[in-house]
Amino acid sequence: NAGVMQNPRHLVRRRGQEARLRCSPMKGHSHVYWYRQLPEEGLKFMVYLQKENIIDESGMPKERFSAEFPKEGPSILRIQQVVRGDSAAYFCASSPQEQVRVTQYFGPGTRLTVL
Amino acid sequence: LAKTTQPISMDSYEGQEVNITCSHNNIATNDYITWYQQFPSQGPRFIIQGYKTKVTNEVASLFIPADRKSSTLSLPRVSLSDTAVYYCLVGDMYSSASKIIFGSGTRLSIRP
């Protein structure tokens, strides 16, 4: 059973470009979470999605950031017009249900560097 | 939501037992305590979870006193590969992921 997959693992963008980060949850998992981690800091929750629905986006900046989890295919975190402050590691996690007692399984992350 | 406090960093040596304590004074009745481990350049990995007393698995033990205001993650006979950041999280079964705060964790360094 493959784990959570994220691609690309590393992404370099120039200021003003768009960044698209992909996450394929574990087989059988219908809940996806996105987190951002700055160097030497903990993970910050961004958004929680189920198939075709955004359940909680309270941690996501109101502008330039969007997320989706279509019926078919991976979840996408999209950052438009990237700025240097967007440079971070972005982690995706999945779980079979929302209850926190159920473990979240994390992917290896995408490291975004904005030049 | 219960806030957690844990040491910023700890050092130890191979073969030693390491205990990392987390304070959560405002823990609620329905809250569980969960610990994650994160290696450099990797996503966090679930280690152990408990509600009260003691929980043990193949990786670690978790000790929770009766008042549940703190918890201690115990790693027996650590090796260099246990060098990582360890996060203590508190939340109840029905908390949304957005309510779970990872914090800065405890950076554990194991020396030869």
Side-chain angles (χ1 to χ4, degrees):
Chain A
N1 186 11
V4 176
M5 311 284 283
Q6 288 188 252
N7 68 80
R9 293 294 308 276
H10 300 275
L11 182 62
V12 179
R13 286 287 179 266
R14 297 191 180 279
R15 281 181 296 170
Q17 292 184 319
E18 178 180 284
R20 279 185 182 237
L21 288 62
R22 295 175 186 77
C23 170
S24 296
M26 285 184 70
K27 186 177 180 181
H29 288 191
S30 57
H31 300 253
V32 166
Y33 316 82
W34 285 93
Y35 294 83
R36 175 164 64 177
Q37 186 175 37
L38 296 172
E40 307 299 318
E41 294 187 12
L43 282 78
K44 298 285 194 297
F45 168 81
M46 298 182 72
V47 62
Y48 160 48
L49 311 101
Q50 294 180 25
K51 285 284 188 182
E52 300 184 278
N53 286 307
I54 297 175
I55 306 302
D56 184 348
E57 56 183 348
S58 58
M60 199 152 70
K62 296 275 190 290
E63 298 179 354
R64 302 188 299 108
F65 286 72
S66 62
E68 63 177 9
F69 189 15
K71 186 177 180 181
E72 301 290 338
S75 174
I76 306 285
L77 179 67
R78 183 182 176 205
I79 311 173
Q80 295 178 292
Q81 299 175 331
V82 295
V83 300
R84 290 223 172 101
D86 296 332
S87 294
Y90 291 83
F91 291 97
C92 165
S94 73
S95 68
Q97 55 188 341
E98 189 206 354
Q99 294 176 359
V100 73
R101 195 169 191 275
V102 178
T103 307
Q104 288 188 27
Y105 296 84
F106 282 82
T110 294
R111 271 142 197 88
L112 173 65
T113 301
V114 179
L115 302 177
Chain B
L1 181 70
K3 183 183 179 213
T4 61
T5 302
Q6 50 183 127
I8 294 174
S9 64
M10 292 181 67
D11 296 321
S12 189
Y13 293 90
E14 281 192 294
Q16 299 293 308
E17 177 184 81
V18 171
N19 296 311
I20 307 174
T21 297
C22 178
S23 297
H24 25 81
N25 291 318
N26 297 324
I27 191 168
T29 302
N30 295 330
D31 283 347
Y32 283 80
I33 300 153
T34 308
W35 286 80
Y36 281 84
Q37 174 191 55
Q38 185 179 24
F39 296 115
S41 301
Q42 294 187 27
R45 181 177 75 109
F46 172 87
I47 302 177
I48 198 166
Q49 186 177 71
Y51 182 80
K52 62 179 179 180
T53 63
K54 178 183 174 182
V55 179
T56 297
N57 61 22
E58 64 278 6
V59 176
S61 294
L62 179 60
F63 298 92
I64 306 169
D67 66 6
R68 305 204 322 124
K69 293 184 183 300
S70 66
S71 60
T72 299
L73 174 72
S74 181
L75 305 172
R77 296 179 299 281
V78 294
S79 64
L80 294 176
S81 63
D82 291 314
T83 294
V85 178
Y86 292 82
Y87 297 97
C88 165
L89 285 68
V90 173
D92 70 49
M93 289 182 62
Y94 305 102
S95 291
S96 170
S98 62
K99 304 297 189 292
I100 306 304
I101 300 173
F102 271 79
S104 299
T106 296
R107 190 171 298 275
L108 176 65
S109 297
I110 305 300
R111 305 171 191 271

